[in-house]
Amino acid sequence: MKLTTSRLLLLAALMRVAFFYYGVYQDANAEIRFTDIDYFVFTDASKFTAQGGTPYDRDTYRYTPILAWLLLPTTQYFWFGKLLFALGDIVAGWLMLRIFYLRGLEYNRALKFASVWLLNPMVATISTRGSSEGLLGAVVIALLWAVYERKIILAGLIAGYSVHFKIYPIIYIPSILWAMDDSPKLLGNGIMKWINKDRVLFGIASLLSFSFLTGAMYYIYGEPFLIHTYLHHLSRSDHRHNFSPYNILLYISSSPNVELKSPYPSLAFIPQLFIAGVLLPFMLAKKDLAKTMFVQTFAFVTFNKVCTSQYFMWYIVLLPFYLPSSKMLKNKTLGILAVLLWTLAQGLWLQQGFQLEYMNVSTFFPGIFAATLIFFLVNIWILGIAVEDI
Amino acid sequence: MAAIKQRYTFIVPNNFRDTPDSLRLSAERLELEAVPGTRQDRIIVSRPLVKEQNILDSVEDIRIEIGSRDNYAHVSPFDRTIQWGTHVTVVPQNGFNWDSFCNFVRSAVNPRIPCIGQASFIKLPYGYYLYSTSVATDTLISYIDSTYPAISATDDSEDIPLGDLSELKTANSISISFSRSEETARKLKGRLVVEVYWYYGHWTKTINPGLDSNNHKVEVGLLGKLSDDPDGDMTFGGILAVVGDNSQFVPTLFDFQPRHRGLKAPAIYSPDFRLPYGLHPKHITNVYGDLHVPRVKSRNQVEDPKTGEFEITDVPATCGLYGFYILPNFIFVDKYQISDLADAQAGGVKRVVGIWGETDLEIPVWMVDKWGSTMLLELITPSEAELELPVQAAEIEIPMHSRYEVPDWNTTAVIHDMPWPSIFWACNGSDETSMLSGPFDSNSLGHEKYFAPGTSFHYLLPNMTLSTPDNHTELVTKLSIPVVPLESYKYVQPWTVIFILLGCVWITYKVICGYIRDGGIRKRNEGVAPASKALAEQKKQEPKSE
């Protein structure tokens, strides 16, 4: 049977239905729950909102109230959020195919590469467990699609919305602006030539949509909205072990037994934003916007102070754009090695994490520390190849 | 009423017979010789003599209670159990001075209690509560000794009426309380009450009358429990004397309905963490024994519809089985997870009465401001089919989470002591509050405050041998939490930075490689977004392959 767009989307949908029902089974029967802990945070927040409270009545709700509103039906139908997130996956996949078309990728190859997202079991698992990252993936792909379609105002509105939703898409703004070369100039020549119609429209639209949404949420929910949705991420002291190379340094350095606090964790945003927000956009965005956004996201997550496996979704959604011309696809050995090392490094970390989390073995040092650095190295190596490819 | 009332209560074994050898009462003093049994000393000091006026000025209730770590017995009528540690509970009124109260707690009770103001106390439905696992009593004992010379000064310098200091050090519990609350018995209200309890000993001592006999009454009772109707009154009989007044003991017989009592049929429990555990230990409490609901009758005033008169009627009380947990800052429960248990009727949890205090789900131990949290759960009781069995069992499984601990030198684990929970039946009860004015009830401010005043409490016993001087047993669950050894810092910091910089250099190098290859920041003939129309045309001409 030949793969077509509708068949691929149907297959992706069926896969999610199967994962969803598997989750229902696991939740009812197994010790470890399938449904993500965050899903309970979202649905509780919706419940509080429905009862006339605010989403922030739920501890650890760190998202825009819009998410809680979107999930209001979960007060009646608990599964609704999972449906929405899985739908987000599929919309992202569909838009991905549209972008492939615009980029002139051959139909069969487009289907094949979209499958990397649509038929990826990890992606399907994360959405059906009830994590909102798939929804964000759809928004980011929609942004990219609008840019490729030259729907500049729509792109700006989506960009503002995505930054309001999860801050990190702000790294896409310089890339998109930088890439918008092909548009009538507005203010003469020389350096002023840079200010062209697309850039002005995109800038104004994204600023308006971000300000409107954020202003409206602040108007409705006040201080708690700012504190929980944004400021928390600046001051977060979440030391629970994660994939970030900064993890153990953060844990030790923030503890009261250390006389000399390490200055480095508070400087961590410098290499991260320099690479993801300045170097990569400036050097690559004019070559290929979609691929640039992929490596930007990959770099942002790799250099982040906190990194859990959900963050991988942020760049996996953009991976299909990078793959078609990738050196790692042409050179099979390199490709397999990259996937293998990425998986093994995670496996090592998970094994050390399991020893700590469930077996009471203090694997912080050297185990988890070494595992985070190895994982960092593997990521940097892959990122280097990808950057050079563009 | 005398300004100071001092009462010694000895609960002696039923086979104890007083002989001239064991008890010598004269107009001047009472001498005890190896009297066996449980002992409680109670001193009630009236307001004008109380030294801590500034603290007591604007407070409804205060209770400071130190329970020893030993597994000691709660002998009737002193059945009320508390978990070991120091418990400080305050129900303040407007203008309560937290700073001077905390000064008092640190200087007079225990300097190791982290009391720095209201911020140190967790908010409970009825007041504020501070718990500490420190059980040192020496500061408190020397404070009482030096502040209330009227109690401790005697004409015979060898003896101090409030037990001599070495006796106090062996006490199983010591409490100080003050109450203006309406629920408090009249004779205690507005007075400072000090109570000291020893579950067992052989008492050889001399008890002298108060220096000023008009204002200082010293009473001694030797009592035995004569009967204990599980759903009604407890009867005690024995002999009483006011030292200095009576030259002979007066026989006594009285009954009362106690608020706290042991269970008639034995039921025991023991908690532990399920092995292996990591950062998410499961706290398991196994309960065995007779788990039938205690047969308690509650006395209610019922209006007779014919005559319109009120009659006192006994009706069966409704009882629930409860678990009361103290969770110091190194451990916490996720309130949402516990509610889910109750929703699913899983883990032995029937209902979450409440979780109070530090319940943040993320912060490490050093960012927890207060001492920790408490949790009161109603537990699932055995089904009717299970009650047919000769012995019933229940398992309470509470998922807990340990906080990230402070890294320390040369160690990969921090060991903490966690108190056992209390497991008890609470039976809702009488409209009348006669139990509150029972002769042995005090204005206690613990788990009982979560229930209506007429509730009676029936305690399950910890499954552990009682502590003796030769064999100390403690109701302590050890919890080991892995930490990162501090000496790793000298490697972690430089290597993290080196790797990050290496990463930056590598990515920059690769970007430059691409720049050199393409001869700029642009690719030939490729813009960002080829207009779709142009692209479609291009596509018709030649299928572009990426």
Side-chain angles (χ1 to χ4, degrees):
Chain A
M1 192 170 74
K2 201 174 164 339
L3 200 58
T4 62
T5 305
S6 46
R7 279 180 186 153
L8 176 61
L9 294 177
L10 187 68
L11 207 58
L14 286 176
M15 183 177 174
R16 279 154 182 79
V17 169
F19 276 56
F20 172 81
Y21 278 105
Y22 168 75
V24 172
Y25 170 80
Q26 183 176 325
D27 280 351
N29 294 294
E31 171 88 358
I32 296 169
R33 201 157 46 190
F34 180 78
T35 301
D36 195 277
I37 181 80
D38 282 346
Y39 193 65
F40 293 97
V41 177
F42 306 148
T43 50
D44 283 349
S46 291
K47 209 184 301 165
F48 285 124
T49 309
Q51 289 164 356
T54 88
Y56 304 105
D57 293 342
R58 173 56 161 94
D59 295 344
T60 73
Y61 184 80
R62 304 274 154 69
Y63 312 87
T64 167
I66 295 175
L67 182 61
W69 294 354
L70 284 174
L71 297 182
L72 278 175
T74 57
T75 53
Q76 289 294 314
Y77 309 101
F78 184 71
W79 44 263
F80 175 81
K82 294 183 176 197
L83 176 80
L84 189 70
F85 299 152
L87 210 64
D89 281 359
I90 290 167
V91 169
W94 179 70
L95 288 171
M96 208 177 271
L97 286 165
R98 306 277 308 161
I99 296 170
F100 278 135
Y101 172 72
L102 291 172
R103 286 165 64 94
L105 187 67
E106 190 209 332
Y107 184 64
N108 281 328
R109 296 194 81 207
L111 288 179
K112 200 169 87 185
F113 289 111
S115 312
V116 171
W117 169 260
L118 280 170
L119 301 183
N120 189 327
M122 181 173 162
V123 174
T125 308
I126 288 179
S127 325
T128 47
R129 287 186 66 203
S131 162
S132 65
E133 310 302 338
L135 203 57
L136 191 74
V139 175
V140 168
I141 301 300
L143 167 64
L144 193 59
W145 168 79
V147 172
Y148 275 98
E149 278 280 12
R150 285 286 175 88
K151 297 180 192 295
I152 301 300
I153 293 174
L154 179 65
L157 296 177
I158 298 175
Y161 173 73
S162 68
V163 176
H164 166 81
F165 206 92
K166 204 116 204 188
I167 315 179
Y168 89 85
I170 199 164
I171 59 174
Y172 303 141
I173 307 277
S175 303
I176 294 171
L177 283 175
W178 188 239
M180 284 174 164
D181 266 344
D182 188 18
S183 158
K185 64 188 175 190
L186 295 175
L187 291 170
N189 289 316
I191 191 85
M192 299 309 267
K193 204 179 103 187
W194 196 82
I195 301 174
N196 63 30
K197 191 180 158 210
D198 284 0
R199 285 181 177 136
V200 169
L201 281 179
F202 180 80
I204 291 174
S206 53
L207 200 67
L208 276 181
S209 99
F210 175 79
S211 316
F212 171 74
L213 290 170
T214 307
M217 293 308 130
Y218 181 71
Y219 177 74
I220 301 173
Y221 294 107
E223 206 101 310
F225 158 67
L226 286 186
I227 291 170
H228 295 292
T229 309
Y230 299 127
L231 300 180
H232 162 77
H233 296 283
L234 300 178
S235 65
R236 68 188 291 175
S237 48
D238 183 353
H239 307 286
R240 295 255 162 212
H241 51 286
N242 59 69
F243 291 108
S244 168
Y246 292 103
N247 178 237
I248 304 292
L249 179 61
L250 264 173
Y251 168 28
I252 304 181
S253 171
S254 61
S255 77
N257 268 7
V258 173
E259 283 160 28
L260 255 172
K261 299 270 171 247
S262 174
Y264 300 110
S266 51
L267 300 176
F269 71 95
I270 294 176
Q272 182 186 27
L273 290 188
F274 169 70
I275 291 186
V278 180
L279 180 74
L280 299 179
F282 181 74
M283 298 294 280
L284 304 176
K286 286 181 197 277
K287 292 184 186 175
D288 190 312
L289 180 63
K291 289 176 190 170
T292 303
M293 282 168 62
F294 166 70
V295 289
Q296 275 183 287
T297 321
F298 200 123
F300 185 88
V301 171
T302 303
F303 283 92
N304 204 23
K305 277 205 286 189
V306 180
C307 175
T308 64
S309 52
Q310 285 176 18
Y311 291 26
F312 303 156
M313 288 279 277
W314 297 357
Y315 58 79
I316 290 178
V317 73
L318 292 161
L319 177 66
F321 300 113
Y322 162 68
L323 280 181
S325 65
S326 163
K327 196 188 284 170
M328 284 181 268
L329 210 66
K330 285 174 194 133
N331 181 345
K332 289 278 185 300
T333 324
L334 189 68
I336 290 168
L337 190 66
V339 172
L340 205 65
L341 284 179
W342 191 76
T343 317
L344 281 179
Q346 267 189 75
L348 177 68
W349 187 96
L350 287 171
Q351 188 266 336
Q352 293 296 311
F354 180 81
Q355 289 293 315
L356 171 71
E357 193 98 347
Y358 295 102
M359 307 307 281
N360 210 29
V361 183
S362 174
T363 51
F364 289 112
F365 186 87
I368 290 180
F369 177 65
T372 59
L373 292 191
I374 292 170
F375 187 57
F376 177 77
L377 268 194
V378 170
N379 278 308
I380 287 296
W381 174 66
I382 295 173
L383 186 58
I385 297 172
V387 161
E388 202 185 0
D389 264 356
I390 296 173
Chain B
M1 187 177 158
I4 297 178
K5 248 189 104 177
Q6 210 166 339
R7 181 181 83 183
Y8 295 85
T9 307
F10 296 89
I11 307 296
V12 293
N14 283 345
N15 59 6
F16 174 77
R17 295 288 172 268
D18 59 300
T19 64
D21 283 343
S22 57
L23 293 173
R24 285 187 296 279
L25 180 65
S26 65
E28 286 77 39
R29 64 179 65 84
L30 167 68
E31 289 169 297
L32 285 79
E33 185 68 38
V35 173
T38 301
R39 168 178 163 193
Q40 190 217 35
D41 295 1
R42 177 151 98 173
I43 299 150
I44 302 171
V45 183
S46 70
R47 185 73 202 284
L49 293 180
V50 175
K51 300 292 193 296
E52 297 79 15
Q53 299 290 349
N54 61 328
I55 296 168
L56 302 185
D57 270 347
S58 40
V59 74
E60 170 104 0
D61 261 308
I62 282 186
R63 188 177 179 92
I64 300 170
E65 194 162 36
I66 306 172
S68 104
R69 284 166 63 110
D70 288 351
N71 177 26
Y72 62 89
H74 299 271
V75 177
S76 293
F78 308 109
D79 289 290
R80 174 172 179 270
T81 70
I82 52 156
Q83 283 138 302
W84 60 264
T86 302
H87 310 260
V88 183
T89 315
V90 182
V91 183
Q93 291 173 337
N94 280 338
F96 180 68
N97 188 336
W98 288 94
D99 290 340
S100 63
F101 178 62
C102 273
N103 279 336
F104 168 77
V105 168
R106 288 196 316 271
S107 62
V109 181
N110 182 349
R112 291 178 56 199
I113 294 178
C115 192
I116 53 161
Q118 188 173 5
S120 306
F121 290 76
I122 66 169
K123 177 98 182 71
L124 301 179
Y126 57 86
Y128 293 85
Y129 176 53
L130 168 61
Y131 170 81
S132 166
T133 51
S134 175
V135 292
T137 53
D138 19 337
T139 309
L140 181 62
I141 291 168
S142 53
Y143 174 80
I144 295 174
D145 190 37
S146 62
T147 316
Y148 294 97
I151 300 172
S152 47
T154 56
D155 50 359
D156 182 349
S157 59
E158 283 172 25
D159 294 301
I160 298 167
L162 178 85
D164 64 48
L165 295 188
S166 63
E167 268 184 349
L168 282 183
K169 279 177 187 149
T170 64
N172 296 120
S173 72
I174 301 180
S175 73
I176 310 176
S177 59
F178 177 87
S179 177
R180 283 198 180 87
S181 155
E182 287 306 314
E183 291 171 15
T184 306
R186 202 175 46 83
K187 63 182 186 230
L188 304 180
K189 196 169 163 185
R191 298 185 167 88
L192 186 77
V193 183
V194 178
E195 287 163 313
V196 187
Y197 172 80
W198 296 259
Y199 94 80
Y200 194 71
H202 282 83
W203 307 103
T204 300
K205 65 187 279 95
T206 304
I207 297 172
N208 295 296
L211 280 184
D212 171 3
S213 55
N214 290 328
N215 272 324
H216 187 169
K217 185 179 165 199
V218 178
E219 191 184 24
V220 178
L222 285 91
L223 306 171
K225 187 162 77 174
L226 300 180
S227 77
D228 183 358
D229 177 1
D231 56 355
D233 289 346
M234 227 180 237
T235 309
F236 282 85
I239 49 175
L240 296 176
V242 176
V243 181
D245 269 13
N246 303 129
S247 52
Q248 277 193 324
F249 278 102
V250 182
T252 183
L253 182 71
F254 60 96
D255 54 18
F256 63 99
Q257 195 184 8
R259 189 148 64 125
H260 301 273
R261 62 202 312 170
L263 280 168
K264 188 78 177 169
I268 53 172
Y269 71 99
S270 67
D272 207 346
F273 290 109
R274 175 165 287 162
L275 290 169
Y277 61 79
L279 299 171
H280 309 285
K282 282 208 165 68
H283 188 270
I284 313 289
T285 305
N286 281 301
V287 185
Y288 302 101
D290 187 339
L291 297 180
H292 284 87
V293 177
R295 289 178 299 111
V296 179
K297 284 186 194 133
S298 67
R299 283 173 203 163
N300 290 315
Q301 286 194 332
V302 178
E303 189 181 353
D304 189 319
K306 286 176 194 158
T307 63
E309 283 174 8
F310 283 95
E311 279 179 11
I312 305 276
T313 316
D314 283 355
V315 291
T318 49
C319 301
L321 185 63
Y322 290 86
F324 187 67
Y325 292 76
I326 289 180
L327 305 165
N329 61 6
F330 53 84
I331 198 160
F332 66 95
V333 291
D334 176 343
K335 59 184 174 195
Y336 303 101
Q337 210 178 358
I338 306 297
S339 305
D340 286 350
L341 284 184
D343 289 346
Q345 296 289 290
V349 181
K350 183 176 178 188
R351 180 171 68 97
V352 183
V353 181
I355 300 170
W356 299 273
E358 293 284 4
T359 54
D360 188 287
L361 305 172
E362 290 165 340
I363 56 176
V365 74
W366 61 87
M367 294 186 69
V368 183
D369 294 330
K370 304 173 200 290
W371 63 269
S373 54
T374 64
M375 171 169 72
L376 179 61
L377 300 176
E378 186 174 352
L379 307 172
I380 295 171
T381 50
S383 65
E384 280 189 23
E386 286 165 324
L387 288 173
E388 303 279 311
L389 300 168
V391 172
Q392 293 90 47
E395 187 186 72
I396 307 140
E397 180 179 313
I398 306 297
M400 296 187 180
H401 308 276
S402 53
R403 294 198 184 275
Y404 263 43
E405 271 295 333
V406 182
D408 212 343
W409 297 102
N410 300 314
T411 183
T412 56
V414 174
I415 314 278
H416 283 294
D417 290 346
M418 184 165 148
W420 283 28
S422 322
I423 311 285
F424 55 86
W425 292 94
C427 299
N428 81 333
S430 315
D431 300 334
E432 56 169 343
T433 50
S434 67
M435 342 178 151
L436 295 172
S437 53
F440 300 104
D441 202 73
S442 62
N443 46 322
S444 34
L445 282 177
H447 51 268
E448 51 274 78
K449 290 290 275 188
Y450 295 103
F451 299 87
T455 307
S456 64
F457 300 91
H458 309 255
Y459 296 92
L460 277 68
L461 293 175
N463 183 18
M464 189 180 273
T465 53
L466 286 173
S467 193
T468 63
D470 304 327
N471 179 28
H472 278 283
T473 55
E474 300 181 330
L475 301 180
V476 171
T477 312
K478 295 276 180 198
L479 179 70
S480 155
I481 301 175
V483 286
V484 61
L486 204 49
E487 53 273 23
S488 67
Y489 190 43
K490 65 173 181 279
Y491 306 105
V492 168
Q493 174 159 264
W495 284 106
T496 305
V497 175
I498 288 168
F499 271 68
I500 298 289
L501 290 180
L502 267 177
C504 292
V505 169
W506 179 250
I507 300 303
T508 312
Y509 167 72
K510 285 294 192 179
V511 167
I512 292 170
C513 287
Y515 178 84
I516 292 168
R517 183 198 58 209
D518 292 336
I521 57 168
R522 233 174 263 274
K523 265 184 185 163
R524 279 161 232 101
N525 305 325
E526 271 184 70
V528 184
S532 46
K533 219 186 274 173
L535 194 118
E537 281 164 22
Q538 190 190 358
K539 204 181 163 195
K540 266 179 234 158
Q541 290 160 12
E542 46 166 338
K544 182 183 154 193
S545 61
E546 262 196 88

